Amino acid sequence: MPDYVPTYDQPRLLAELEPEAERLMHRHTAMAQEWFPHDYIPYSMGRDFDKEPWTPDQPRLDGVAQTAFFVNLLTEDNLPSYHREIYRMFAQTDSAWRNWVHRWTAEEGRHSIVLRDYLIVTRNIDPIALERGRMQVMEDGYETDNKDALRGMAYVAFQELATRISHRNTGRYSADPVADRIMARISADENLHMIFYRDILTAAMEIRPNDVVKAVKAEIVDFEMPGAVMNNFRRMSLQIADAGIYDLRVHHDDIVWPLVRHLGIFTATGLDAEGEQAREELRVFLDGLDAQASRYEDKRAQRRQRGTDLETATP
């Protein structure tokens, strides 16, 4: 598949989309619910670590749930890098775009606060491992390789939905009502963020359909979760996938296809030759992803029948 190269005037596109960005921003603030991290934490469970150090027998979460929470928290911790990248892509002028980016960042900041407080107070993960992990991901940072505006919109739409699903499934898997309530609250935020990016991309589809199709195709083919920068991410993501929290089937059925359908990628008319080529390449890729997800499900079922598990990944 040929490399994606943007050919449109990005500042002009952002200017054309600014009235819609402002409308979506107002809609978002009307729908968003104010909440406070401290309301979700069972502080009565807290104990002083200098008097009672953490030990591996203290967590109530099982190993997979611990791994999923570890990955989810460290992903949220890298917010400064995400802010820098999204600001670069969208908010270079004093506009509705800038207002949105700052609002998004402020709301996202709550997520790492509530997750860390929960994990520390309940002693569900080694606090030293958490802090060392935070230092590592933030020192490594996160970069989008200078994605243009449309690829940036496509990425954040897919990524916000992926994060919403991953967080929600982690809460359910945890079998802890406190954790489930926290993850449901975070997922509600992520859903509203996804809706903003999805709908601004839908507006872009009306203006630049060929460019949106090419950007969406490129983003789906090259998609990578921002948590990939953390140490041992592959091992941890395999354990999370084996538990069904986030696997290829979830990615294909619950992330990629809902957005592709909403955007009308395969129903849009009037595409030029490059747009049609990108759409056909995306169709082939998605067929392959579906087949790959089915093969993984079959292997997982066979492994469970044999009573064998993947190597446990410890945060």
Side-chain angles (χ1 to χ4, degrees):
M1 297 182 183
D3 292 336
Y4 168 83
V5 179
T7 57
Y8 62 93
D9 184 330
Q10 295 185 62
R12 179 178 177 181
L13 177 67
L14 290 173
E16 290 176 337
L17 289 173
E18 184 178 352
E20 182 66 0
E22 184 171 11
R23 185 187 75 81
L24 294 175
M25 169 74 173
H26 290 314
R27 185 187 70 178
H28 174 86
T29 54
M31 295 171 63
Q33 294 181 352
E34 185 180 39
W35 62 279
F36 304 96
H38 69 268
D39 287 334
Y40 290 76
I41 307 302
Y43 288 106
S44 61
M45 296 179 62
R47 292 164 289 177
D48 293 336
F49 284 96
D50 60 342
K51 296 177 182 176
E52 186 180 348
W54 184 88
T55 55
D57 62 306
Q58 293 173 355
R60 295 179 299 164
L61 300 177
D62 72 13
V64 178
Q66 288 182 55
T67 298
F69 270 96
F70 183 83
V71 170
N72 288 343
L73 173 54
L74 295 196
T75 298
E76 298 286 357
D77 272 331
N78 229 352
L79 180 60
S81 287
Y82 311 148
H83 174 86
R84 180 193 66 237
E85 290 297 292
I86 292 178
Y87 191 96
R88 176 190 60 79
M89 289 186 289
F90 305 140
Q92 296 176 5
T93 61
D94 187 8
S95 65
W97 287 107
R98 177 177 291 182
N99 295 337
W100 164 253
V101 170
H102 286 302
R103 171 73 186 222
W104 173 87
T105 302
E107 291 182 356
E108 286 284 341
R110 294 190 186 119
H111 301 168
S112 60
I113 294 171
V114 73
L115 284 174
R116 176 167 281 98
D117 285 358
Y118 163 74
L119 293 171
I120 295 298
V121 168
T122 61
R123 296 182 174 234
N124 269 317
I125 291 184
D126 178 2
I128 293 176
L130 277 181
E131 178 58 14
R132 287 173 175 167
R134 186 190 70 85
M135 289 293 294
Q136 179 261 308
V137 297
M138 294 191 70
E139 286 179 353
D140 287 350
Y142 175 78
E143 296 182 3
T144 61
D145 296 325
N146 291 315
K147 291 185 192 294
D148 65 289
L150 284 179
R151 275 202 68 172
M153 292 176 199
Y155 178 75
V156 289
F158 286 110
Q159 188 272 326
E160 291 283 3
L161 183 52
T163 305
R164 166 197 154 194
I165 298 297
S166 176
H167 283 340
R168 195 69 193 91
N169 288 348
T170 296
R172 289 169 176 156
Y173 184 90
S174 72
D176 179 358
V178 175
D180 192 37
R181 180 171 177 253
I182 289 171
M183 292 315 235
R185 178 59 265 176
I186 294 175
S187 296
D189 280 1
E190 304 289 12
N191 190 56
L192 289 183
H193 297 162
M194 178 276 293
I195 289 172
F196 176 93
Y197 291 120
R198 179 199 68 188
D199 290 355
I200 198 67
L201 192 58
T202 300
M205 185 76 174
E206 298 177 2
I207 300 173
R208 307 286 306 191
N210 285 292
D211 293 309
V212 172
V213 169
K214 289 187 290 183
V216 167
K217 187 272 291 188
E219 212 45 58
I220 291 175
V221 170
D222 294 336
F223 184 80
E224 184 178 65
M225 291 291 278
V229 300
M230 67 185 67
N231 291 339
N232 299 318
F233 178 77
R234 177 171 172 76
R235 291 178 63 240
M236 292 188 292
S237 63
L238 287 173
Q239 188 184 15
I240 291 167
D242 193 57
I245 295 172
Y246 194 100
D247 58 17
L248 286 176
R249 177 56 61 201
V250 170
H251 183 69
H252 177 273
D253 292 1
D254 299 336
I255 314 303
V256 175
W257 265 107
L259 285 173
V260 165
R261 289 194 188 98
H262 187 91
L263 293 169
I265 298 298
F266 290 116
T267 57
T269 59
L271 299 182
D272 63 16
E274 289 186 355
E276 291 288 3
Q277 180 184 358
R279 182 157 63 179
E280 181 57 28
E281 289 173 349
L282 178 58
R283 189 188 309 276
V284 171
F285 178 84
L286 292 178
D287 287 344
L289 184 63
D290 183 38
Q292 189 179 358
S294 295
R295 288 194 298 270
Y296 177 80
E297 288 176 312
D298 291 342
K299 291 180 179 179
R300 179 170 58 192
Q302 293 170 9
R303 190 169 58 251
R304 288 176 177 173
Q305 286 181 346
R306 294 193 302 266
T308 57
D309 295 317
L310 287 177
E311 177 186 2
T312 300
T314 303

